[in-house]
Amino acid sequence: MQKLQDSLKPIVALCKRRGFIYPGSEIYGGFANTYSYGPYGAELKKNIKDLWWRLFVHERRDMVGLDGPILLHPKTWQASGHVEGFVDALIDCKACKSRFRADHLIEEALHKSADGMNLKQMTEEIQKHKLKCPKCGAQDFTEARVFNLMFHTHMSKTGADGDIAYLRPETAQAIFVDFKNIIDTMRVKIPFGVAQIGKAFRNEITPGNFVFRVIEFEQMEIEYFIREADWQKTFDHWLAAMHSWCKKIGLSKNHVHEKEHPKELLSHYSKRTVDLVYDFPFGTSELYGLAYRTDFDLSRHAECSGQSLFYTDPETKEKFIPHVIEPTFGVERTILALLCNAYDEEMLENGETRTVLHFAPCVAPVKVAVFPLMKKEPLSEKAQAVFALLQRLWHCEYDDSGAIGKRYRRQDELGTPYCITIDFETLENDTLTLRDRDSMKQERLAIGQLIETLSKKLV
Ligand code: ATP
C-alpha cells in the first residue's frame, strides 16, 4: 500500500523542479491560482485525456464526441440556473481585506456543517461565536453575501451590460445546447452518450491546495441520455465504470471512496449524486462526480429557446425528453491524485533516498528512456538506433549525460517505467538491459524481442 504524504510540499517541489507544473506567470511575480503544465505535465495531461477518450468514446458503440465553445449564448446560463444559483456565500475581513467562503469559515472554526444555512444564519453564526479572521485574527467581518462564480466578459459590440458573455463554468451545457444537432445529424439511438473534454472557469473565492481548486481547469464529461425508467441501472453502470477508470489509471483502491450527497443538499438539477472522493494529503475530497440530472437541462433549454428537444423513438415513434446521467471527471484533480498516489521517497540499501513516481505505464509521461553506457562510439550509434526504433511507438527519451545511476534517478523522478542501457555486450551479441523502475531489477534482452516485450509491459 502506498503511504500518503502528510503534505503536498514535496510534490509541488518535484512538479516545479522536474517540469510537470509551474506557477502561472511566474516572471511577473505569479498570477494566483493559475498554473502552467510544463513538458512532462503536458504529456501526463494528454495521456489522461487520450486514454479517457479511447475508453469512453472509441471503445464504446453508444458514445459520440463533441467539442463545443467556451462562450455559449448567455441565455444558456439563465436556462441552466447558473446566473441565479451558481453562487457561494462570501465574507470579507474588514481589517485585512481577506475574503473567505462563509460556510468554510464556520465549518473550519466550529467543526459543524453550514450546509442549508442561509446568508443571515451564516452571518449570525459568525458573530455569535466571535469567529476570528484566519489571516489576521481580527473579529471584524462584513455580512455574508452571495457571489456568482461565473467569470464574465464583454462582447465587442457596445460593452454595455446587455453584451455580457460568460466563460462556461462546466462543459455540460455545451452538450445540451447541441443535443438537437446531434440527434438530427447522427444516427444515435437512446441510450447514448455525448462526451466532451474542455476548459471550464470558476471564480472560486478560496482556491488552493495546488491544482485541486483552480480558476481555470478541464473537465472530461459525459451526458448519457436515457429513458427515465432506466436511470437507476444506468447510474450503477456509470458508477462501476468510474471505479474501473480509477483502477486503470493506477489509483490505489484504498484511497478512492464513494460519498452520497444527502437528498436535502442535492443541486437544483439532481435527483441523486455520488462523488468519488480521494484521500488527498490535505484530506479526503471530491475527485469526480456522478449525477442523475433528470430531464431538467433539456426541458429548460426547450422552454427558454422555444425549440423542440424531443427525441422520437425510431420504432415506436414515441416522443419524449430524455433523462440524463452525468459522470464528470476533473483533469487537474486526476493529475493531483495520480501524483499523490505515485509519489514515494524510498530508502535504499546504500542509505540513499530515491524519489520515484510509481505511475501506471498508461499515464506515464515518458514510457522508455534509452542510455548508451558511455557517450562514445560505437555505443552512441547503437543506442540511437534503438531509440529511433522505439520513438515511433512510444514517447521515449534519450540521455547520454552523467553517470548511469544518476540517469536512472532522473527517470525515476519522472515516473518512467523502463530504462534501456546499451553496453559493450550489446555490441557483441545485440542484447541490452531493461531496467524496471519499481523493482530496479535489470534483465538482459535481445534487441529483436524488445518491441514485443515492451508492448506487453506498457499497457
Ligand atoms: P467542489 O465541491 O470541490 O467545488 P463541485 O462539486 O463544484 O466541486 P462539479 O461542479 O461537480 O464540482 O464539477 C465536476 C468536476 O470538476 C469535479 O468533480 C472536479 O473534478 C472538477 N472541478 C470542479 N471545480 C474545480 C476547480 N475549481 N478546480 C479544479 N477542478 C474542479
Side-chain angles (χ1 to χ4, degrees):
M1 197 181 93
Q2 202 72 42
K3 210 178 130 266
L4 271 181
Q5 297 297 312
D6 46 14
S7 134
L8 275 177
K9 270 194 194 144
I11 293 170
V12 176
L14 174 98
C15 283
K16 170 85 199 289
R17 187 172 78 244
R18 297 312 320 270
F20 279 93
I21 304 176
Y22 307 126
S25 311
E26 215 183 1
I27 60 163
Y28 288 104
F31 193 49
N33 304 297
T34 63
Y35 293 91
S36 179
Y37 287 77
Y40 295 113
E43 292 293 335
L44 177 61
K45 206 179 206 190
K46 187 171 181 311
N47 290 344
I48 293 165
K49 293 194 284 183
D50 287 353
L51 181 66
W52 188 89
W53 197 263
R54 179 158 69 75
L55 293 180
F56 292 121
V57 183
H58 291 176
E59 290 191 9
R60 295 179 61 121
R61 293 181 57 197
D62 56 349
M63 296 284 303
V64 291
L66 182 80
D67 189 3
I70 285 170
L71 296 172
L72 294 164
H73 195 292
K75 280 187 185 164
T76 310
W77 305 109
Q78 268 151 17
S80 66
H82 281 81
V83 171
E84 206 183 317
F86 196 55
V87 292
D88 276 341
L90 76 78
I91 197 156
D92 291 316
C93 168
K94 289 190 203 161
C96 72
K97 312 285 180 229
S98 297
R99 180 162 282 183
F100 304 96
R101 262 177 71 171
D103 54 339
H104 285 179
L105 206 63
I106 293 169
E107 281 161 13
E108 272 150 37
L110 305 176
H111 305 290
K112 71 179 206 186
S113 170
D115 287 337
M117 285 189 198
N118 62 30
L119 291 173
K120 193 160 168 275
Q121 288 164 328
M122 283 194 241
T123 305
E124 282 169 3
E125 198 70 13
I126 289 167
Q127 285 168 355
K128 188 171 98 195
H129 293 278
K130 298 196 169 55
L131 296 194
K132 288 187 183 152
C133 169
K135 280 257 173 71
C136 75
Q139 283 175 17
D140 196 9
F141 286 110
T142 59
E143 292 194 348
R145 61 191 189 282
V146 286
F147 176 74
N148 194 300
L149 300 183
M150 283 196 291
F151 276 103
H152 54 259
T153 185
H154 288 279
M155 302 295 276
S156 60
K157 281 179 275 175
T158 62
D161 270 2
D163 294 332
I164 280 181
Y166 300 97
L167 303 194
R168 64 183 183 198
E170 61 175 26
T171 53
Q173 296 305 325
I175 298 180
F176 296 126
V177 165
D178 263 329
F179 174 75
K180 186 170 159 43
N181 276 330
I182 287 175
I183 52 172
D184 287 350
T185 57
M186 307 298 293
R187 288 180 304 153
V188 285
K189 259 170 83 178
I190 282 205
F192 74 91
V194 182
Q196 183 175 213
I197 300 179
K199 290 259 180 180
F201 302 81
R202 293 184 188 180
N203 201 353
E204 302 270 10
I205 297 165
T206 48
N209 283 328
F210 198 28
V211 296
F212 178 81
R213 189 177 300 285
V214 280
I215 53 179
E216 173 182 345
F217 55 99
E218 275 183 285
Q219 292 182 318
M220 308 185 285
E221 285 197 311
I222 293 165
E223 305 305 323
Y224 198 79
F225 299 98
I226 52 166
R227 288 169 186 277
E228 182 176 5
D230 294 334
W231 83 265
Q232 264 154 328
K233 71 172 190 206
T234 315
F235 197 96
D236 292 344
H237 163 84
W238 280 105
L239 196 52
M242 291 172 88
H243 280 292
S244 306
W245 161 260
C246 292
K247 186 168 172 221
K248 174 81 192 164
I249 60 174
L251 291 181
S252 156
K253 205 169 168 233
N254 305 324
H255 295 315
V256 179
H257 319 279
E258 288 176 15
K259 188 176 160 209
E260 178 94 38
H261 286 213
K263 289 250 164 342
E264 60 284 7
L265 300 179
L266 288 171
S267 313
H268 59 282
Y269 54 76
S270 175
K271 263 208 179 146
R272 186 179 176 204
T273 298
V274 173
D275 287 341
L276 286 196
V277 295
Y278 182 81
D279 298 326
F280 289 101
F282 47 85
T284 301
S285 303
E286 176 174 340
L287 176 62
Y288 304 140
L290 176 64
Y292 169 36
R293 289 183 87 124
T294 66
D295 58 354
F296 173 83
D297 301 271
L298 287 182
S299 302
R300 286 288 297 151
H301 287 305
E303 201 182 308
C304 296
S305 66
Q307 300 276 323
S308 162
L309 297 182
F310 281 109
Y311 167 84
T312 308
D313 185 296
E315 272 121 51
T316 63
K317 305 295 171 213
E318 178 201 357
K319 275 178 170 236
F320 61 97
I321 295 211
H323 280 232
V324 173
I325 301 289
E326 176 195 73
T328 168
F329 306 68
V331 175
E332 282 69 10
R333 290 191 190 175
T334 308
I335 289 175
L336 188 57
L338 285 175
L339 285 164
C340 296
N341 194 86
Y343 186 89
D344 208 358
E345 285 171 21
E346 289 174 4
M347 180 67 95
L348 302 179
E349 275 165 16
N350 63 5
E352 273 179 35
T353 309
R354 86 161 175 151
T355 303
V356 53
L357 289 174
H358 295 283
F359 282 139
C362 60
V363 294
V366 179
K367 311 292 184 201
V368 188
V370 179
F371 312 147
L373 185 63
M374 280 185 258
K375 192 177 179 174
K376 67 175 197 186
E377 298 301 355
L379 287 171
S380 296
E381 194 189 342
K382 193 78 184 164
Q384 277 168 29
V386 171
F387 178 68
L389 185 74
L390 301 180
Q391 201 187 19
R392 289 182 296 119
L393 300 168
W394 297 287
H395 184 228
C396 302
E397 231 168 52
Y398 186 86
D399 187 1
D400 58 8
S401 60
I404 202 88
K406 284 233 169 78
R407 286 184 253 167
Y408 284 143
R409 292 288 172 278
R410 272 206 290 268
Q411 295 300 327
D412 288 343
E413 281 200 334
L414 300 180
T416 306
Y418 296 99
C419 293
I420 286 169
T421 303
I422 309 296
D423 54 19
F424 292 106
E425 207 181 318
T426 316
L427 304 176
E428 282 163 25
N429 62 8
D430 255 2
T431 60
L432 40 70
T433 65
L434 183 68
R435 183 245 194 200
D436 179 292
R437 174 198 65 204
D438 296 341
S439 68
M440 294 193 284
K441 295 231 162 68
Q442 297 181 22
E443 58 175 309
R444 198 121 207 134
L445 206 71
I447 293 183
Q449 289 175 341
L450 188 58
I451 289 183
E452 199 191 331
T453 307
L454 284 172
S455 304
K456 284 191 194 129
K457 289 179 185 281
L458 292 172
V459 281

